[in-house]
Amino acid sequence: MTNGLQEIDAPAWMLDLFKAIDTLDMSEGSGFKVFADDIVMQFGPKTVHGVAEAKAFFTKLDAPFITKHIVDRVFNYGNAYLMQGSAKLRKKGDASGATITAAPLFNLLWFNDDGKIMRYVVDFPPQAAAASDVF
């Protein structure tokens, strides 16, 4: 008997979401369109409710950085998706070019029956959180 967990190629909606996060594109047509209006997002120790709060959280978190998410592996099990990857962050205006790498980075996303993400859990190494004043 198998548990149903399958490794898959990264879905376009996931790549679009990370692109929107990296570019801070909060427009209606951005990758955030996959979020349900009442999404609950747990990002490390922080929990936010609703798509507007999730967008505001990402804006505050990533505005000081140039961010690039890297998707290494994606797994699917029913209406849940697990992304294992990393994120590279560099402070804007930092002439040294020093980067912070959040790896491993895990994203767990659950979809509702309407095809929207209703729960989003993100976790990463504690030292990556120390680089941001959001935590």
Side-chain angles (χ1 to χ4, degrees), residues 29-49:
S30 77
F32 285 101
K33 68 184 177 218
V34 74
F35 280 5
D37 289 339
D38 61 350
I39 187 171
V40 175
M41 184 177 80
Q42 182 179 336
F43 196 100
K46 296 286 186 177
T47 301
V48 298
H49 299 270

Side-chain angles (χ1 to χ4, degrees), residues 11-37 39 41 51 54-55 58 109 111 115-118 120:
W13 62 261
M14 183 180 285
L15 298 174
D16 289 346
L17 175 59
F18 290 125
K19 179 180 178 185
I21 293 168
D22 291 346
T23 61
L24 295 177
D25 180 357
M26 303 298 160
S27 67
E28 256 187 60
S30 77
F32 285 101
K33 68 184 177 218
V34 74
F35 280 5
D37 289 339
I39 187 171
M41 184 177 80
V51 68
K55 286 179 175 182
F58 280 115
L109 308 103
F111 279 77
K116 299 285 187 172
I117 297 170
M118 63 180 183
Y120 184 18

Side-chain angles (χ1 to χ4, degrees), residues 43-45 61 65 85-89 91 99-106 123-135:
F43 196 100
L61 176 70
F65 298 100
S86 61
K88 294 193 180 291
L89 302 98
K91 287 201 178 221
T99 61
I100 302 160
T101 301
L105 173 70
F106 296 98
D123 215 347
F124 45 84
Q127 64 272 25
S132 173
D133 64 0
V134 175
F135 302 101

